[in-house]
Amino acid sequence: MSTIAAVSTPMAAGALGVIRISGEEALAVAERVFRCRGKKLSQRKGYTAVLGRVFDGQGEIDEAIALVFRGPKSYTGEDVVEFSCHGGPYLLSRTLRALYVAGAAPAGPGEFTKRAFLNGKLSLTQAEAVMDLISCEGREAARAALSLKDGALYRRIQEMTGLLSGVCAGLGAWVDYPDDELPELTEGEIARVLAQVQRELGKLVGEYDTGRIWREGVDTCIVGRPNVGKSTLMNLLYGGEKSIVTQIPGTTRDLVETRVRLGETLLSLTDTAGLRETDDPVERIGVERARKKLETAALVLAVVDSSAPLEGEDRALLQSLAGRPALVLVNKSDLEPAFAAGELEQFGVPVVFLSAKTGEGREALEEKIGEVLQIAKPDVSGGILANERQLACAREALSQVEEARRALEDGVTLDAVDVLISGAVSSLLSLTGEKAEERIVDEIFSRFCVGK
């Protein structure tokens, strides 16, 4: 493979910027643009750093530290040199151009991590965790991604793969050498292994939604009549002026979206137009969009005004939330109430009293959201599925294990059971990347940033 180079830090002004070079000619390419005292880079041991200066055909560019990593004990498994320069975009761009002139090729998206995978430094699940670490927005998401990067999910899948492969080996020997005296593999033993793997895969698949909530956030909409305090609530949760707040009903006429964190829960939050009948054509479009968002949201925060009697629009909204993940937020709790709290019990939706104006009740809202979403905290040290690709592989493996159990119970021949178990093993190997198609690998790394 060619020697590649790319800037691995953001192209913005900063104290430091890092340029990474990887490949068989990494040291030679780096030497052509880097000058230092003493030994040349090609003469230095791995895991060493040296201060020097980078140059191009026009002269000196910058002072830099060159870090040498020798393969296979490097991130990519190849020889790697990293220049730590001053973090000015001009300096980084000029140094990168000098490396291209010296023989390096531009790195593609995620190419350094892809090489780490191809060279056996990372499993596919570990490589995918790199992007999760870069993009995580909370403590639990970071813990899960770091655990994935450390190989927790890979080890968990490997254990199941080993159990199923052991059964396949026994069944294969029995099919190929029926007359030989081989260690007996009983149907009871096969059933025990299949049941164990089915439980573990079922648990793994079941934990996916919790992990997705940590990573992507919950699609949440704020709905209610005009002037009940939806936009004030949006600004409270956002921590700034995100939505326009006035005393005039119908101020919000379109969807206002942002991402906010309440405790450990990330919300993809949408403020909507007030729900009411209106002759204003612009406001009517906003109300229609609000109703569509209400239909598709994973969590609904229905706001009512405690200082005004419940109206027909309030009641119709609350009735529509039966059986859905939702909360009734009784806003303006700092004012004299105009209706009894008991009037809300008939709708069967959890209630939170708060004042979006003063912030009182925010902690209770955080707690209730966790309860409504039933966010469990699985042991991320054991590894959880990180994306839809992994989920699809795990579901396919689970389906094949379940089918193998049914076939065994129905008295289907063991060679047919072996085919189903082998299919489950293949799905698990695809999950970890040990049997992944090239196009799948290319697609995964195409989502990475250049330089990683």
Side-chain angles (χ1 to χ4, degrees), residues 19 37 56 194 346 353:
I19 296 176
R37 293 182 180 180
D56 61 10
L194 291 176
Q346 61 181 304
F353 291 86

Side-chain angles (χ1 to χ4, degrees), residues 18 25 39 73 105 184 201 203 264 270 298 315 325 413 427:
V18 175
E25 298 295 321
K39 297 177 181 178
K73 296 182 179 180
E184 185 178 5
L201 279 173
K203 182 180 178 183
E264 286 303 317
T270 303
R315 298 179 186 279
T413 59
S427 296

